[in-house]
Amino acid sequence: MAAAAAAAREPEVIRDKAAMRAWSRRRRAEGKAVAFVPTMGFLHDGHLSLISAAVAAAAGPVAVVVSIYVNPSQFAPTEDLATYPSDFAGDLRKLAATGAVAAVFCPPDLYVRGGAGAGESGGAVSCLEDAGGHAHETWIRVEQQEKGLCGNSRPVFFRGVATVVAKLFNIVEPDIAVFGKKDYQQWRVICRMVRDLDFAIEIIGSEIVREADGLAMSSRNVHLSCEEREKALSINRSLVNARTTALNGNNHGQQIKDQIVQTLEEAGGQVDYVEVSLLESLRKLSEFMLVS
């Protein structure tokens, strides 16, 4: 009976920034660690695994907070902010079913909005900056970690991510925060920001959760047609094959990259980038040693 009651417990929904900060401080006064899982909603089992990781990371009593907020500053105007999937009621049901989430933070907006007119950012304009005027203009840049990889084609993405995560940290004041390694560069950017800016937060990286057929779980998968979803399986297949090649003794980065590109293009994919990089610094490698 107790387990059933815990599983059905509804998390407290908090929308106000000051109320969220006060909630965390009360939990800490009760002797609990505050563990934080930031999300953009439309939750799936990958997100729920982050909650499990948050509970496991705490040495003692823990209060888990999940945020649901689609951050406009990480989207360029040509990207899918307007069509990002959303199901808030469904998200709350999933979080309640875990029995592990104490609060859900879902602010209406985390930015100061200005008047009419377009802002300027050297050509790298996010959806947020369309507000212009006296709007938000303070940004966090993790200058080296955000370069290359996804940063090449999404010049405002990591600036937006680092800034909103810093804002969320200042509001939630967590002791622990969990991020998925599916967005690997993003996780490394956050780790470096926390180190450099002296946030007293332990950052946990949680492993990728995949569907039975190997596709990495993602909220955006709902937009894929059956044909597109089948083609998307080539991503994991190409990485598994590349790892096998490396374990068999081929340590030439360009050959590994060429093999991945070939697999993706044969499946009908359009390749943005393929790189072989060091795990922490993300520095490109021409040759490497793979440890099984």
Side-chain angles (χ1 to χ4, degrees):
M1 291 293 291
R9 184 179 64 195
E10 292 283 342
E12 181 177 352
V13 176
I14 304 172
R15 300 184 185 275
D16 179 73
K17 291 182 283 188
M20 181 70 254
R21 188 177 289 113
W23 186 96
S24 292
R25 292 178 181 180
R26 286 196 300 272
R27 300 295 83 76
R28 196 169 290 106
E30 295 168 356
K32 296 178 180 178
V34 176
F36 180 43
V37 178
T39 82
M40 295 207 300
F42 207 72
L43 305 181
H44 49 69
D45 285 348
H47 293 110
L48 302 185
S49 75
L50 304 182
I51 295 166
S52 298
V55 173
V62 62
V64 177
V65 180
V66 174
S67 66
I68 297 177
Y69 180 69
V70 180
N71 175 36
S73 72
Q74 69 192 57
F75 291 79
T78 56
E79 294 174 344
D80 61 338
L81 175 62
T83 60
Y84 195 87
S86 175
D87 180 15
F88 186 67
D91 289 345
L92 289 182
R93 287 193 296 270
K94 292 174 183 177
L95 295 175
T98 69
V101 178
V104 176
F105 180 49
C106 49
D109 198 354
L110 285 177
Y111 295 92
V112 177
R113 301 287 178 163
E120 297 180 359
S121 57
V125 180
S126 73
C127 287
L128 178 70
E129 287 166 298
D130 287 343
H134 297 287
H136 178 98
E137 61 173 312
T138 303
W139 302 102
I140 294 177
R141 311 283 319 224
V142 184
E143 294 185 351
Q144 296 304 315
Q145 294 268 356
E146 72 176 36
K147 290 180 179 178
L149 306 178
C150 290
N152 284 334
S153 59
R154 305 190 71 186
V156 300
F157 177 76
F158 292 113
R159 182 193 73 172
V161 166
T163 300
V164 80
V165 170
K167 289 170 73 67
L168 287 167
F169 285 172
N170 283 332
I171 295 164
V172 178
E173 297 184 341
D175 302 288
I176 300 163
V178 184
F179 294 82
K181 291 184 182 180
K182 177 177 71 68
D183 302 304
Y184 190 85
Q185 187 177 10
Q186 172 178 283
W187 172 55
R188 286 300 185 187
V189 163
I190 297 305
C191 288
R192 186 60 58 88
M193 178 190 76
V194 165
R195 187 201 73 174
D196 290 354
L197 297 185
D198 296 310
F199 282 100
I201 302 170
E202 180 184 1
I203 304 299
I204 305 295
S206 190
E207 299 300 327
I208 297 173
V209 176
R210 297 184 180 276
E211 305 284 359
D213 58 8
L215 185 67
M217 291 186 178
S218 171
S219 299
R220 286 184 170 99
N221 287 349
V222 71
H223 291 319
L224 298 176
S225 67
C226 291
E227 181 182 2
E228 289 168 338
R229 195 184 186 288
E230 183 65 28
K231 290 179 178 180
L233 297 177
S234 65
I235 300 172
N236 186 43
R237 185 168 64 250
S238 70
L239 296 174
V240 170
N241 292 342
R243 185 177 188 275
T244 300
T245 299
L247 286 172
N248 287 336
N250 186 338
N251 69 339
H252 296 285
Q254 189 59 52
Q255 292 179 17
I256 296 293
K257 290 192 290 184
D258 290 344
Q259 176 184 328
I260 293 172
V261 169
Q262 181 179 353
T263 301
L264 295 175
E265 290 182 341
E266 286 177 350
Q270 182 176 344
V271 178
D272 184 2
Y273 70 86
V274 176
E275 290 294 348
V276 178
S277 305
L278 287 171
L279 284 173
E280 185 170 347
S281 70
L282 306 182
R283 183 171 59 84
K284 296 179 185 179
L285 294 175
S286 58
E287 294 187 355
F288 60 95
M289 179 181 294
L290 187 64
V291 179
S292 60

